[in-house]
Amino acid sequence: MRTSIRGCRFRYIWFLPIVLLVIYLLPIHIYNTSMSAHTKREYSIVTGFFAQDHPDADAEAIGALPPRFGLLDDSPDRWEKFKARIDALNAAASPGSQYKVFFFSRHGQGFHNVAEAKYGTEVWDDHWSKLNGDGELVWGPDPDLTQLGIDQAKAAREAWATERAFGIPLPERHYASPLQRALRTFHETFVGAEFLDGIAPPPPCTILEYLREESGEHTCDKRSPRSVIAEKFPSSIYDFEEGFSEEDTFWNADEREIKAHVTVRARQVFDRIFSSDKETYICISAHSGIINGFLRAMHNPRPQYGLVTGGVLPLVIQAVDIRLH
């Protein structure tokens, strides 16, 4: 008795998402070597510090760069008190628990953002995102910032300068996506900034493959070769994670990365930072997709946060290692 190929196709189609997820997760499993097989790590947002850390925070109402980056305390010594609270949390933390402060910076407007606004998200996703341009705009691969995007990054620089006068702690570690719109945003915000108090350049910015935007299909999310990135962003300020390849082997022209995979690689970045970095204040220059991946990686996942281009999302994150029985 013959089995219909058409029947098999529909009978087993439900396996496809599982197969795709396994294919995606295999390299990430290999990538993560920091956690013991007898331990799992849970992440959570500590509330009560920023307007953005409230579970019902309204990103549109809060805006890209709210006063004090959203810090609820508006007193003149607000950042000294903030640092004292973070120090107290870490001093009182039980073994296997620690706290870090993350500043998630979304890149400024890129040419792909202009194109998506021009055509609308549905038409952009279905057609134009798969091309490199339309004869008027060029958005792929790996588009840079528009002038507005550069101005947005400079506005972030001014926000840092304003709060530095009140003692905001500077990031002690910088990480960035390999896509040049994120790297350019970091550069325009931090490199050569007067608020760095004579630190020139700022602490090195480490480029991580897993901080890239949701990948696949959209040409704007295909990165440049390593040699091109290195030429544009010199090693005196930027360094690549170990094993960073010359060509972009992550991007797939025929398949869009699923959000579950983005969430897992966001978690891998958390694992890396909490396992290997002694620093408390971390800045990540990246994209809305991976930033929301970090929010989904929490023990109690957060809903989508619509951080606009050029915006900064500050959060206090607790990591707790839980021993498995």
Side-chain angles (χ1 to χ4, degrees), residues 223-243:
R223 69 164 171 84
S224 300
R226 173 175 174 151
S227 57
V228 173
I229 299 171
E231 183 178 357
K232 292 182 177 181
F233 301 96
S235 59
S236 59
I237 300 173
Y238 303 88
D239 58 19
F240 292 93
E241 66 177 321
E242 184 178 354

Side-chain angles (χ1 to χ4, degrees), residues 121-177:
T121 298
E122 184 175 354
V123 175
W124 165 257
D125 286 342
D126 289 344
H127 176 69
W128 290 105
S129 66
K130 300 173 177 63
L131 306 178
N132 288 334
D134 63 358
E136 177 185 358
L137 295 168
V138 177
W139 55 74
D142 199 8
D144 207 335
L145 299 182
T146 64
Q147 185 57 53
L148 175 58
I150 293 172
D151 292 342
Q152 289 172 331
K154 290 180 177 179
R157 177 191 287 241
E158 290 303 314
W160 276 101
T162 297
E163 288 308 301
R164 186 59 184 160
F166 292 92
I168 187 173
L170 295 174
E172 302 164 292
R173 287 284 293 165
H174 288 277
Y175 292 95
S177 158

